[in-house]
Amino acid sequence: MKTEEVTLDNMAQKMIEALPELKTAYDKEVAAWTKSQGAHVLFSFVLFDSLKPLLKVEEVDALLVQKIFAFVELLAKHPDEKVQEVVYFSVCENICADEIVLQKAQHFMGKKTREFCELIIKMQKQN
């Protein structure tokens, strides 16, 4: 998938195209809505909530986790800051809130995703 194919409006659909393994979680989340939700909600409750248990197990499914982080990195490097914000606030902040998840995730992160997490951790230490 190319960066220019993804927009703030279609990034949830592009997530399912890139990560069909998350379609069941996506469909379940969307079915529970009483009104339409934005990308932040979907990336927090679908992508991150699917990623977290993958990183909490002894034997990580490296291929799937790599695939997820490749997509996250694509979005983190996106020229649209609004797309980057979804990754920063809805994925990286959640990763950084859990030490075990963060430790395992660092092995799979791309450069920009790692920069986001380093900034989040730095800001947490200042507060």
Side-chain angles (χ1 to χ4, degrees):
M1 180 175 304
K2 295 179 181 172
T3 304
E4 59 271 7
E5 295 174 12
V6 182
T7 66
L8 184 63
D9 293 332
N10 75 4
M11 65 189 294
Q13 182 59 41
K14 293 297 183 181
M15 173 179 65
I16 298 308
E17 289 175 24
L19 305 165
E21 299 87 348
L22 305 184
K23 182 153 178 31
T24 301
Y26 174 88
D27 290 344
K28 184 178 177 182
E29 184 63 32
V30 171
W33 294 351
T34 55
K35 61 179 182 165
S36 180
Q37 300 292 326
H40 283 279
V41 172
L42 283 169
F43 275 76
S44 183
F45 289 104
V46 175
L47 191 137
F48 176 73
D49 284 357
S50 296
L51 178 63
K52 183 177 179 178
L54 292 171
L55 293 169
K56 288 265 190 169
V57 296
E58 190 76 25
E59 290 272 331
V60 174
D61 181 346
L63 290 176
L64 179 54
V65 174
Q66 287 172 342
K67 189 175 177 183
I68 291 170
F69 273 105
F71 182 68
V72 169
E73 184 70 9
L74 175 91
L75 300 179
K77 294 175 4 183
H78 199 282
D80 184 342
E81 286 185 24
K82 298 282 188 198
V83 171
Q84 290 180 24
E85 287 174 1
V86 172
V87 171
Y88 184 93
F89 292 110
S90 300
V91 180
C92 292
E93 276 193 346
N94 287 324
I95 289 170
C96 294
D98 187 314
E99 187 62 35
I100 294 169
V101 171
L102 177 60
Q103 286 178 359
K104 288 193 176 181
Q106 288 177 338
H107 300 289
F108 300 97
M109 288 179 181
K111 182 180 178 185
K112 189 68 171 180
T113 309
R114 189 179 314 276
E115 288 174 12
F116 283 174
C117 285
E118 289 169 358
L119 180 59
I120 291 164
I121 292 166
K122 181 179 177 182
M123 292 177 73
Q124 288 172 342
K125 288 180 180 179
Q126 291 177 349
N127 293 333

